Amino acid sequence: MADDDRLRADRLREAELLVRAGRGEARAAGALVDRQGPRLMAFALRMTGGDRALSEDIVQESFLRLWRKAGDWDVDGPAQLSTWLGRVVANLAVDARRRAARQAPLDAAGDVADAAPSALAGLIGAERRTALDAALARLPERQRQAVVLRHVEGYSNPDIAAMLGCGVEAVESLTARGKRRLAELLGDTGDA
């Protein structure tokens, strides 16, 4: 029961910060961004294939939407602040990917790799992350979201279900299929 009391206290504290942020209190807004921002940014980076500028825009837009909703937030409602924000980030990332797919790339050169790695271990780690990111990008959108939220960001299945607007069983299925496909894709590259 102590965990339930702690979760309720956290929800109340975040709701209080949200109301104050909605009134324009910069400190309250900053506190919410500090609490939720890093996890949302990590999720957005995974969903955008590492595009930092796009991820920052997505996270910023998610907070702007939250500020607009501040006066109507129901602390006892079905969604926690973190799951609501996660769903907004997921939707914005999907929208951004769809827009990008419709537009022709302006610069086909891509990013320039860092020529001065600090250590061999760093290179190996970067290669594995690159392989994982490439494999994640090949997953269907919903599978990618479920796998990233569960196994990279550490959200619970019920939280993911709330973010994706589906049932827990669907999350379990998406995650299992996504993991199997990732194993196949990474096995093809020898990084499994």
Side-chain angles (χ1 to χ4, degrees):
M1 191 74 156
D3 283 342
D4 288 341
D5 292 339
R6 185 182 54 76
L7 290 174
R8 173 81 175 141
D10 282 347
R11 283 183 87 160
L12 288 172
R13 174 73 177 134
E14 286 185 341
E16 175 191 330
L17 288 171
L18 180 57
V19 168
R20 289 177 32 215
R23 285 190 234 137
E25 289 185 36
R27 289 184 112 170
L32 276 174
V33 170
D34 288 346
R35 288 174 76 128
Q36 300 292 330
R39 197 171 192 190
L40 292 172
M41 185 64 180
F43 176 49
L45 281 167
R46 288 285 184 186
M47 295 310 298
T48 62
D51 186 329
R52 184 168 268 310
L54 178 58
S55 296
E56 288 171 352
D57 289 346
I58 287 171
V59 171
Q60 181 179 12
E61 177 61 26
S62 70
F63 278 108
L64 289 174
R65 290 181 183 192
L66 180 63
W67 305 150
R68 287 191 292 266
K69 188 171 179 58
D72 300 325
W73 187 260
D74 180 7
V75 69
D76 294 317
Q80 291 180 323
L81 207 57
S82 61
T83 56
W84 187 88
L85 282 166
R87 183 167 186 164
V88 171
V89 167
N91 290 341
L92 290 171
V94 168
D95 292 346
R97 290 179 67 88
R98 287 180 182 152
R99 272 192 311 277
R102 288 190 303 260
Q103 298 172 346
L106 297 176
D107 181 11
D111 294 334
V112 177
D114 185 3
S118 62
L120 180 59
L123 278 175
I124 293 170
E127 287 177 10
R128 286 185 176 159
R129 281 190 302 278
T130 300
L132 177 59
D133 287 343
L136 282 168
R138 291 179 60 191
L139 291 179
E141 191 71 40
R142 301 281 284 180
Q143 286 179 15
R144 180 175 47 256
Q145 288 176 339
V147 168
V148 169
L149 286 168
R150 181 73 183 121
H151 296 289
V152 177
E153 299 305 319
Y155 284 98
S156 69
N157 285 346
D159 285 346
I160 297 167
M163 287 181 209
L164 299 182
C166 62
V168 173
E169 297 81 13
V171 169
E172 291 168 353
S173 176
L174 287 166
T175 304
R177 289 192 323 256
K179 283 173 48 180
R180 277 194 305 272
R181 182 66 180 134
L182 274 178
E184 292 169 8
L185 293 168
L186 292 173
D188 290 345
T189 66
D191 289 332

